[in-house]
Amino acid sequence: MRPLIIAHRGASHLAPENTLTAFRLAKTLGADGFECDVQITRDRHLVVAHDYLTDLKTGVHGNIPDMDFDDLRQLDFGKWKSPEFAGEKIPTLEEVLEVAQDFRMIHIELKPYLDRDEEIVDRIIDAVLDAGLEEKAVLTSFEYGALRRVKERMPQMATCAMTLSPESQLSQPATFWEKLGLKKTDPLVEKLSSPQALSEAAALLEDPSSLDEENSVLIYYLKDRLDFLYSIFPGMNLAEILQQYYYQTDFVNYVAQFGFPVDYVGPEYHAFFRDKNLVPNAHARGFKVAPWPVGVESRDDLRQLFRLDPELVVTNKPEVAVSILTGLGQWDESSKEG
């Protein structure tokens, strides 16, 4: 079967991520589907955005779960990518589902904030049903309690359990840290790229006075990443969260112990290179696989993953993935179903 190409946050390599423009462009580039991230605003609107904080994508400080929808709609979520995208607004889930009608699949990541969004699962399922997309939707999350609730509410709804290493929450190139106000020579760059990155980040947040005033965006970013970890492991402290990641070393076996069904396992794609048996082990357990977000680094990564025979690949560069599949010539159009 030809693997499906799922555009990660839309055609996010070429357009501002998680915008209607990025999702529509993904279709033009040949993607079979797209992935998006859903949060709830303070006044309980479902909106599509990855980060909780608005700073990096709008230049305006804010935290989406603590903001009202009308205020968010005033912000520009496109100009950060390029001036040609100026004026792009944060989309609602309903608007995104309308675009998804033209695709074969949509991945919807559930992003509850801390312990405040108990209704997020039911709200998203209701929206999917209202749009008539229950056959195309895969609900994904790093917060496995949310996936349990999906199966309790609607057993036939497809789900995907996601994972990545906790250090990769902060692992960024030096140029990224420079954008947040750090210089290449700043000792913090090395600390935030080390295996102790999470502990370093937590220490900084406990005593932000150790940073200069111009590093305020860095503080917001670190808080955003740590809030994400606390949101997907509610009630746990940092040591307990790290212990959970240790248990996830064999992620297929970890998910198999959930006590409720899961359709896909979605490790960050480098895991498939470290463990060449990951795909056959997942299939043996009855799981499909969804590596992500492939294509950030090289065409070579995509080629290697396609040869592992996954059901789908989530990529920032759908146009490159389509080109590679065409070049490999292993699948014709009649085998696209799957």
Side-chain angles (χ1 to χ4, degrees), residues 3-6 105 107 138 264 289-291 306 310-314:
L4 297 182
I5 305 303
I6 308 299
M105 182 178 281
H107 283 214
V138 179
Y264 290 85
V289 297
F306 287 141
E311 282 76 16
L312 59 87
V313 166
V314 183

Side-chain angles (χ1 to χ4, degrees), residues 79-131:
K79 191 167 60 176
W80 69 272
K81 187 74 170 178
S82 169
E84 69 181 290
F85 298 112
E88 194 79 38
K89 302 301 182 185
I90 189 171
T92 65
L93 176 59
E94 290 77 12
E95 290 170 335
V96 171
L97 292 176
E98 183 61 33
V99 176
Q101 300 287 347
D102 294 331
F103 288 83
R104 297 179 56 223
M105 182 178 281
I106 177 173
H107 283 214
I108 304 171
E109 184 182 333
L110 288 65
K111 293 183 74 76
Y113 183 67
L114 302 177
D115 58 354
R116 290 169 24 182
D117 296 335
E118 290 184 5
E119 81 269 32
I120 192 169
V121 170
D122 289 313
R123 292 281 308 281
I124 290 176
I125 289 177
D126 288 343
V128 169
L129 292 175
D130 288 345

Side-chain angles (χ1 to χ4, degrees), residues 119-193:
E119 81 269 32
I120 192 169
V121 170
D122 289 313
R123 292 281 308 281
I124 290 176
I125 289 177
D126 288 343
V128 169
L129 292 175
D130 288 345
L133 290 172
E134 59 270 25
E135 297 292 327
K136 295 183 177 183
V138 179
L139 301 193
T140 77
S141 191
F142 295 88
E143 205 281 271
Y144 310 129
L147 299 182
R148 179 190 293 274
R149 174 60 189 144
V150 171
K151 289 300 187 181
E152 289 172 347
R153 163 79 188 274
M154 196 172 179
Q156 68 271 36
M157 181 75 74
T159 57
C160 177
M162 313 273 287
T163 189
L164 76 172
S165 70
E167 290 79 12
S168 63
Q169 291 297 318
L170 299 174
S171 178
Q172 299 286 353
T175 52
F176 178 86
W177 297 117
E178 286 180 62
K179 288 179 183 178
L180 296 190
L182 295 181
K183 297 177 181 177
K184 283 182 182 178
T185 54
D186 195 312
L188 269 180
V189 171
E190 184 176 349
K191 289 180 178 179
L192 292 174
S193 303

Side-chain angles (χ1 to χ4, degrees), residues 213-282:
E213 213 172 284
E214 61 265 25
N215 294 136
S216 58
V217 177
L218 173 65
I219 289 292
Y220 300 146
Y221 176 78
L222 296 179
K223 182 178 184 302
D224 181 86
R225 295 297 79 205
L226 287 169
D227 280 352
F228 171 73
L229 290 174
Y230 292 133
S231 295
I232 64 176
F233 294 107
M236 294 188 188
N237 60 36
L238 199 56
E240 292 168 329
I241 289 172
L242 291 172
Q243 185 68 32
Q244 287 299 310
Y245 277 108
Y246 171 77
Y247 295 146
Q248 289 182 20
T249 303
D250 183 352
F251 190 60
V252 170
N253 185 59
Y254 180 85
V255 175
Q257 309 303 314
F258 276 2
F260 60 91
V262 170
D263 301 279
Y264 290 85
V265 289
E268 194 273 338
Y269 80 97
H270 287 97
F272 292 83
F273 300 154
R274 292 190 296 269
D275 180 3
K276 293 301 176 68
N277 292 317
L278 201 160
V279 173
N281 287 345

